[in-house]
Amino acid sequence: MDKEYLFTSESVTEGHPDKICDQISDAILDEVLMQDKKGRVACETLTTKGLIFVAGEITTDGYVDVPAVAREVLKNIGYTDAAYGFDYQSSAIITSIQEQSPEIAQGVDKGGAGDQGMMFGYAVDETESLMPLPILLAHKLVMRLAYLRKQKSFPYLRPDGKSQVTVLYENGIPKKVTSVVLAAQHNPDISQKKIKDDLTEAVINEIIPAKYRAGDMKVFVNHTGSFVIGGPQADTGVTGRKIIVDTYGGLGGHGGGCFSGKDPSKVDRSASYYSRYIAKNIVAAGLAKKCEFQIAYIIGEVQPVSYMLNFFGTGKVDEGKIIRHIKENLDLSPNGIIKKLDLLRPIYCKTACYGHFGREDSDFTWEKTDLVDFFKELL
């Protein structure tokens, strides 16, 4: 890559239509796991103006009141006013749920992967959380926006919103933020100047560290001039449409599978978490400054079919040596991953917004660095 380049990542608030769907799907998963740790969930949600449609395959001994769960999610997000064009009380909810296919279940029941596919994990030493700076800042911007809305610091704010951050890199090191984009849904009859002034000071300047705020940093707030109509009234939302927001903001590979609404027997989710766990611990151990780890599975098979490490020229140890160390000592079977990361817990709704990685939360067990000594043995 060129010695100097720009890289951009985006994030969205919990009130964004796609994120509404991710949260509903994961809230349903949480409800199943609270009652039945052996439950199988593959739950998809679609939302549009005045409507939520939930479909999928759920096999459980428990009972989930899907409409009640969906309405509670909407209420917690902040869709509590019919003036927003979408609210938790009046939206229609349709469900179409069936059991998991027995042909899939026969492979999963014996401990095999719930599907084929490849999963990636990524880590880089440019931030304390070992996440890329652009996606980390993009998440923090919309988290701050949502916090101020819920605190009623700016009563004109509504639930929908987006962010985008562009960072200038020199020789692989982030030097400055060149532009920030913030879109914040708002009530009518508020001037765009006030919105920009308020959010530049209380969100952008609060989140973008001073050392990265260049004098020529461009700031774009509600750049079209108005953002009154938002959420499902403006755009259709679907589970799993923000997979780059959910991961590394476009850095590193992505296998294409979404996370939300899937129980951890689905390696799309659990193996992606474990891949991040591996990559983060390798970087934290000092074996490389940047790491991408890929594993792949065959449906019904217990062990991965392939492993791959890429240090992008920053490694201190041969990648093949580390892969052999992983294969000989770590259990990357679906059941092994579930046990190691303690994934049969109702923790998933909170993963559905602001990224699945780089979060400071004890429930995000894949963010632990308890394998550092294991990898340091190879130095």
Side-chain angles (χ1 to χ4, degrees), residues 281-302:
N281 276 270
I282 285 174
V283 173
L287 274 65
K289 297 176 69 65
K290 187 185 299 185
C291 175
E292 179 182 77
F293 180 64
Q294 185 214 48
I295 44 179
Y297 293 83
I298 300 170
I299 188 168
E301 290 296 317
V302 174

Side-chain angles (χ1 to χ4, degrees), residues 18-275:
D18 293 329
K19 278 296 155 200
I20 293 172
C21 295
D22 286 345
Q23 289 168 94
I24 291 173
S25 294
D26 271 339
I28 291 167
L29 169 60
D30 284 347
E31 187 64 28
V32 170
L33 290 177
M34 279 191 281
Q35 303 176 48
D36 178 11
K37 288 190 175 184
K38 296 182 179 180
R40 302 272 169 74
V41 179
C43 181
E44 311 287 344
T45 304
L46 178 147
T47 184
T48 186
K49 185 176 181 179
L51 175 67
I52 296 169
F53 187 89
V54 181
E57 297 77 48
I58 298 178
T59 302
T60 179
D61 291 333
Y63 169 75
V64 180
D65 185 341
V66 172
V69 171
R71 293 189 195 283
E72 185 65 18
V73 169
L74 294 178
K75 183 179 179 181
N76 290 339
I77 291 170
Y79 281 105
T80 57
D81 190 335
Y84 297 167
F86 187 83
D87 72 281
Y88 80 101
Q89 291 178 311
S90 65
S91 295
I93 300 176
I94 300 172
T95 63
S96 179
I97 305 293
Q98 58 185 338
E99 291 190 339
Q100 184 181 70
S101 162
E103 295 178 327
I104 296 175
Q106 67 185 353
V108 179
D109 289 343
K110 67 178 185 181
D115 201 352
Q116 69 179 47
M118 60 282 191
M119 299 84 208
F120 290 86
Y122 185 82
V124 62
D125 70 353
E126 63 193 51
T127 62
E128 289 186 8
S129 63
L130 305 185
M131 287 290 287
L133 182 64
I135 189 65
L136 186 68
L137 293 178
H139 285 324
K140 287 185 175 183
L141 286 168
V142 284
M143 289 177 74
R144 176 70 175 170
L145 185 63
Y147 171 80
L148 294 172
R149 172 176 62 84
K150 291 181 176 181
Q151 292 294 309
K152 301 187 185 303
S153 300
F154 304 115
Y156 56 78
L157 290 175
R158 291 182 174 183
D160 200 357
K162 300 180 77 172
S163 67
Q164 183 172 289
V165 176
T166 300
V167 174
L168 173 69
Y169 284 80
E170 294 179 2
N171 298 317
I173 298 172
K175 290 297 183 179
K176 66 178 181 178
V177 174
T178 61
S179 68
V180 178
V181 180
L182 200 62
Q185 188 189 13
H186 58 87
N187 291 343
D189 305 321
I190 184 82
S191 76
Q192 292 301 313
K193 182 180 185 307
K194 178 168 176 54
I195 295 172
K196 183 173 183 177
D197 289 347
D198 286 348
L199 300 188
T200 298
E201 182 62 31
V203 178
I204 295 173
N205 290 346
E206 184 71 22
I207 294 301
I208 306 298
K211 67 178 181 177
Y212 292 125
R213 289 203 306 265
D216 58 349
M217 184 179 79
K218 297 178 181 178
V219 174
F220 304 92
V221 177
N222 288 1
H223 198 54
T224 62
S226 180
F227 188 7
V228 174
I229 302 170
Q233 184 185 19
D235 291 298
T236 300
V238 181
T239 297
R241 268 205 312 211
K242 288 291 177 284
I243 58 175
I244 299 303
V245 170
D246 286 342
T247 52
Y248 308 102
L251 284 164
H254 198 297
C258 80
F259 304 154
S260 291
K262 296 178 180 178
D263 75 80
S265 74
K266 312 294 189 297
V267 284
D268 277 343
R269 179 170 222 154
S270 54
S272 293
Y273 288 177
Y274 203 87
S275 295

